[in-house]
Amino acid sequence: MSVLDEIVAGVRLDLADREATTGPDEMRRLANAAPAPRDPMPAFRAPGTSVIAEVKRRSPSKGDLADIPDPATLARAYADGGAAAISVLTEQRRFGGSLADLRAVRAAVEVPLLRKDFVVTDYQLHEARATGADLVLLIVAALDQATLTALHDEARALGLTVLVEVHDAEEARRAVDLGAQLVGVNARNLKTLEVDPGTFGRLAPLLPADCVRVAESGVTGPDDVRRLAQEGADVVLVGEALVRDGDPAAAVRAMTGIGAAR
């Protein structure tokens, strides 16, 4: 069993517990009652690089990354630094996140929020909307094409912007077949946790010119952002480098606006 398989198995167990507490019909009602989602795409398409800044306590590859007693304070710093969106990890077992973190961040900032998790059912999409998310992550490696398509369509129907994550050429093809407009190329292989800095450069040319391209994993500072922008990145998603920085607002500011629009 790969690392990704193990994570998804744990996600399904935790999901069953939440569904037992709040049934699907009630979660759907809460989602429908939530305020309209914010649209991050204009900022993502603006000239120069945009930053999705991540609230991330730990990871399966690095263990504990940062003590974040108040995710709202960190989110405000990201917003002050000009983050185009804020990603909040909500997976509990491997990343130490929660929906409570998402709620806290939503109450603190007006920036569009990405629920970063391993989404495998539409219940999680309704959870995301009910908790205040504007974007949701769908990981191609974790889903067969029929499920990926169904979740993508349901997320769009809910008004969510969908970040479709790929790791290799076959997954990039599946994202293109899906009609994804926001594609994240993750340099970290979720099956082995190894990072290949060349991944984005190989996969970006396989994506349509009108697709917003997001570079994920291994972004440590402006030099990495400069290289990725030259390879076609419109957006960078950064977690570890920001939560470990003593001045996250300045760190976001330094990565924003690099490069020129395509």
Side-chain angles (χ1 to χ4, degrees):
M1 181 180 286
S2 72
V3 174
L4 177 59
D5 292 334
E6 292 175 355
I7 292 173
V8 170
V11 164
R12 288 187 181 278
L13 290 173
D14 294 338
L15 176 59
D17 289 341
R18 295 198 304 277
E19 283 187 286
T21 301
T22 305
D25 290 343
E26 174 62 8
M27 188 58 68
R28 189 174 294 108
R29 185 192 68 77
L30 293 170
N32 290 336
R38 297 155 178 81
D39 182 4
M41 294 299 276
F44 290 168
R45 293 188 184 278
T49 51
S50 298
V51 175
I52 302 175
E54 192 156 82
V55 177
K56 184 177 186 179
R57 288 187 170 86
R58 64 174 183 257
S59 74
S61 60
K62 298 287 184 70
D64 291 337
L65 299 175
D67 181 25
I68 306 175
D70 183 8
T73 298
L74 178 59
R76 289 190 195 98
Y78 288 159
D80 290 345
I86 295 174
S87 170
V88 182
L89 260 301
T90 59
E91 197 280 333
Q92 184 175 0
R93 294 175 182 237
R94 298 297 188 97
F95 293 88
S98 68
L99 288 166
D101 285 348
L102 184 57
R103 290 189 193 95
V105 172
R106 176 75 291 157
V109 299
E110 292 298 321
V111 178
L113 300 186
L114 166 66
R115 181 191 182 181
K116 185 87 173 288
D117 210 318
F118 297 78
V119 174
V120 291
T121 75
D122 62 354
Y123 184 91
Q124 292 163 287
L125 301 177
H126 293 104
E127 270 186 329
R129 280 298 302 119
T131 315
D134 309 290
L135 302 92
V136 68
L137 178 72
L138 294 180
I139 302 172
V140 173
L143 303 163
D144 60 54
Q145 195 67 10
T147 304
L148 175 64
T149 300
L151 290 173
H152 182 266
D153 291 349
E154 177 65 13
R156 294 287 302 275
L158 287 167
L160 290 162
T161 299
V162 185
L163 174 59
V164 179
E165 182 177 289
V166 304
H167 303 80
D168 59 30
E170 173 60 19
E171 291 174 14
R173 181 195 63 76
R174 290 176 59 193
V176 172
D177 289 348
L178 186 68
Q181 289 298 296
L182 181 64
V183 177
V185 176
N186 196 341
R188 187 181 303 282
N189 185 323
L190 289 181
K191 297 179 180 178
T192 65
L193 299 184
E194 295 177 355
V195 173
D196 178 357
T199 302
F200 185 87
R202 289 194 302 272
L203 299 190
L206 306 180
L207 304 174
D210 63 348
C211 174
V212 173
R213 303 164 183 172
V214 183
E216 304 177 32
S217 294
V219 182
T220 62
D223 288 344
D224 288 328
V225 179
R226 206 165 284 113
R227 170 180 58 83
L228 291 163
Q230 290 173 351
E231 294 174 348
D234 304 291
V235 184
V236 291
L237 192 157
V238 191
E240 179 182 345
L242 295 180
V243 299
R244 287 183 163 175
D245 195 289
D247 189 344
V252 170
R253 198 173 294 117
M255 297 183 199
T256 298
I258 293 173
R262 293 198 306 273

